[in-house]
């Protein structure tokens, strides 16, 4: 039956066109944005997971940046310890020279005094971003941010690497430009005079040797921390790349697939428009029934 009030063919064609237009709009959005899941309505589960992963990845990126700051602090401390070791070796050489009976010990002390001043200068200068790891009170420690993790229960945590700075510090304090305490405090007390005996020089040599061993141990600890930071930095970058890849699998559109779908939908749209046109024209044919 043909009705002039209800055109079921046109209604069916129109519904088909609406469906095609809806799918075409979704595909065009995917092609233009590159995302198959751009909002929660597209896929609640994938959108939720990807949003959390993006947030975690951003935090991990910040932790990686913090590693760079930590690495700079470690490098500064190591440079100071390495330079101090060379200066202490020079003091050791001067004490050896002073052991010669014909040497003027007061002249040797002038050189040792300048070397002691250099040690204080090194300690005072080894500061990065306001933090000095080689001038620390005994027992103090410092930390470096090295990562961000999300636990299985959903809680998050910032991880750190610690360094017992107070145990390896060159000085515990610097007052009036002169370092005191710490690994090199005893070296700073070395003082030769014309009356200094060989026994006293031998004691100074023992003091210097002890300081060198502690400096070497401290430099080794800093070196180990530097390696730890370097490895963590590499891992963090790899982890960040893996997370980005995981997010991509969840929300990124397959451009080859979307391109093929777009072409098909455009063809379907043209056919649906043509079908609607045919359905609408059928009612016009009723007029011929009323022509005499």
């Amino acid at each position: 039956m043909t009705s002039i009030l209800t055109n079921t063919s046109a209604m069916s064609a129109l519904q088909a066109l609406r469906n095609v237009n809806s799918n075409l709009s979704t595909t065009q959005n995917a092609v233009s944005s590159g995302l198959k899941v751009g909002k929660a309505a597209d896929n609640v589960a994938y959108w939720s997971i990807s949003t959390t992963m993006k947030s975690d990845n951003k935090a991990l990126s910040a932790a990686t940046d913090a590693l760079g700051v930590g690495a700079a602090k470690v490098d500064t401390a190591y440079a100071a310890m390495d330079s101090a070791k060379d200066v202490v070796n020079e003091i050791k050489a001067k004490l050896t020279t002073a052991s010669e009976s014909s040497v003027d010990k007061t002249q040797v002390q002038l050189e040792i005094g300048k070397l002691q001043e250099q040690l204080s200068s090194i300690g005072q200068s080894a500061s990065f971003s306001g933090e000095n790891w080689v001038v620390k009170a005994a027992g103090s420690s410092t930390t470096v941010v090295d990562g961000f993790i999300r636990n299985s229960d959903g809680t998050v945590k910032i991880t750190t690497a610690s360094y017992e700075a107070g145990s390896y510090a060159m000085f515990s304090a610097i007052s009036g430009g002169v370092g005191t305490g710490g690994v090199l405090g005893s070296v700073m007390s070395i003082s030769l005079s014309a009356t200094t005996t060989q026994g006293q020089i031998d004691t100074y040599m023992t003091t210097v040797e002890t300081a060198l061993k502690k400096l070497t141990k401290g430099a080794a600890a800093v070196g180990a921390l530097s390696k730890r930071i370097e490895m963590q930095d590499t891992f963090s970058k790899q982890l960040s790349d893996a997370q980005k890849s995981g997010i991509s699998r969840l929300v990124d559109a397959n451009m080859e697939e979307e391109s093929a779908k777009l072409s098909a939908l455009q063809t379907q749209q043209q056919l649906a428009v043509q079908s609607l046109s045919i359905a609408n024209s059928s009612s016009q044919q009723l007029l011929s029934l009323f022509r005499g």
Side-chain angles (χ1 to χ4, degrees), residues 56-235:
D56 288 355
N57 191 262
K58 189 172 183 179
L60 180 62
S61 178
T64 303
D65 291 340
L67 271 176
V69 176
K73 293 178 181 179
V74 169
D75 290 344
T76 300
Y78 182 82
M81 289 183 174
D82 193 49
S83 295
K85 181 168 60 66
D86 292 339
V87 174
V88 173
N89 276 323
E90 282 295 320
I91 292 176
K92 181 178 178 181
K94 298 306 176 186
L95 289 174
T96 301
T97 300
S99 297
E100 172 60 45
S101 59
S102 61
V103 171
D104 186 345
K105 295 181 178 61
T106 58
Q107 295 298 318
V108 174
Q109 177 55 37
L110 290 176
E111 294 182 284
I112 291 177
K114 294 302 180 183
L115 293 172
Q116 290 168 330
E117 290 176 8
Q118 180 62 19
L119 288 175
S120 295
S121 177
I122 291 171
Q124 197 167 22
S125 301
S127 176
F128 182 88
S129 189
E131 188 171 359
N132 193 324
W133 284 15
V134 299
V135 181
K136 287 283 187 180
S140 62
S141 63
T142 186
T143 58
V144 175
V145 173
D146 69 352
F148 170 87
I149 59 175
R150 179 175 292 277
N151 298 315
S152 57
D153 59 1
T155 58
V156 296
K157 179 182 179 182
I158 303 298
T159 60
T160 59
S162 62
Y163 171 66
E164 300 300 323
S167 300
Y168 305 113
M170 289 166 50
F171 302 109
S172 58
I174 293 182
S175 178
V178 179
T180 58
V183 171
L184 299 180
S186 57
V187 175
M188 299 298 289
S189 65
I190 293 176
S191 179
L192 301 180
S193 67
T195 59
T196 299
T197 64
Q198 185 59 44
Q200 291 174 315
I201 292 176
D202 291 341
T203 300
Y204 288 151
M205 288 288 285
T206 301
T207 297
V208 168
E209 195 63 32
T210 300
L212 279 172
K213 288 180 180 179
K214 290 181 178 179
L215 270 178
T216 301
K217 187 176 180 180
V222 171
L225 180 58
S226 178
K227 185 63 176 179
R228 164 84 168 80
I229 291 174
E230 180 183 343
M231 292 174 66
Q232 182 62 26
D233 182 59
T234 300
F235 170 70

